[in-house]
Amino acid sequence: MDEEFVTTMARHQLPLTAFLRTFLRSPADVDDVLQETNLVLWRKREEYDPERPFASWACRIAQLQTLAFLKSKGRKSLISLSENVIEDLANRATMQLNQLDQRAEELRNCVAKLPSSQQSILQSRYQHNVSVNELAKRLGRQPQAVAMTLYRLRKSLKECVERALSAGAAQ
């Protein structure tokens, strides 16, 4: 459970940083609030319901940590946003993060449906940064053929994700 939670937290560091930049001007302040947010997330990990989107929960905690930070530093005057505006921005950002999370989950599901040989090609190219030329050598194929295979796989995955999202929206 803890290992899975850490993996989920790590996957959300970039989106949380972007979320915090919405409210804080200084990169140092963003780092400070992100660190505090991570501590709170860790302390409250038992309260997290894996059936709900992690991004929503984490962003709400980040929002509260931002407000606490601004209040504790007496920096309310440095921003011209009311708490209502911050709440509205937070809700919009959270919704976008949830959509990204959903897309990423559907992409993982779609990749899992592919034959292992195609998964291996995708993994080599996109996880291990193997060039198309090197991949072609490994597979004993022409680089153009590998590039076309990758194009078709990306197109197929895009369609699979869109179908899954459309099916989910229809429910």
Side-chain angles (χ1 to χ4, degrees), residues 40 60 62 69 82 86-87 92:
V40 172
R60 179 66 180 149
F69 175 81
S82 71
I86 290 175
E87 178 114 12
R92 290 173 193 229

Side-chain angles (χ1 to χ4, degrees), residues 93-147:
T94 300
M95 190 169 69
Q96 288 177 336
L97 285 175
N98 286 337
Q99 289 170 347
L100 286 173
D101 272 355
Q102 190 176 7
R103 288 184 79 79
E105 182 63 30
E106 293 303 339
L107 178 59
R108 281 189 286 278
N109 293 338
C110 290
V111 168
K113 294 175 187 175
L114 293 173
S116 61
S117 61
Q118 292 177 345
Q119 288 181 27
S120 178
I121 291 171
L122 289 169
Q123 187 176 39
S124 294
R125 178 68 186 110
Y126 298 112
Q127 286 182 328
H128 302 297
N129 268 344
V130 175
S131 72
V132 171
N133 288 335
E134 179 61 31
L135 196 51
K137 284 180 192 174
R138 290 181 188 179
L139 297 171
R141 296 169 58 190
Q142 292 295 316
Q144 299 86 346
V146 172

Side-chain angles (χ1 to χ4, degrees), residues 153-166:
L153 285 170
R154 287 191 308 268
K155 184 178 176 187
S156 170
L157 289 170
K158 179 179 186 263
E159 290 168 357
C160 177
V161 167
E162 288 173 354
R163 274 192 311 274
L165 292 174
S166 293

Side-chain angles (χ1 to χ4, degrees), residues 57-71:
W57 182 67
C59 284
R60 179 66 180 149
I61 289 173
Q63 178 188 355
L64 294 172
Q65 290 305 119
T66 300
L67 292 171
F69 175 81
L70 293 171
K71 191 174 281 188

Side-chain angles (χ1 to χ4, degrees), residues 13-57:
Q13 292 304 288
L14 219 52
L16 277 173
T17 300
F19 177 80
L20 291 170
R21 285 184 181 151
T22 305
F23 311 113
L24 301 166
R25 293 180 186 180
S26 162
D29 290 348
V30 170
D31 290 343
D32 288 347
V33 175
L34 180 62
Q35 185 175 14
E36 285 300 315
T37 299
N38 285 331
L39 287 172
V40 172
L41 290 171
W42 180 253
R43 284 187 210 121
K44 294 183 176 249
R45 68 189 178 278
E46 299 298 325
E47 297 174 25
Y48 172 61
D49 176 5
E51 297 298 315
R52 303 203 54 192
F54 183 85
S56 298
W57 182 67

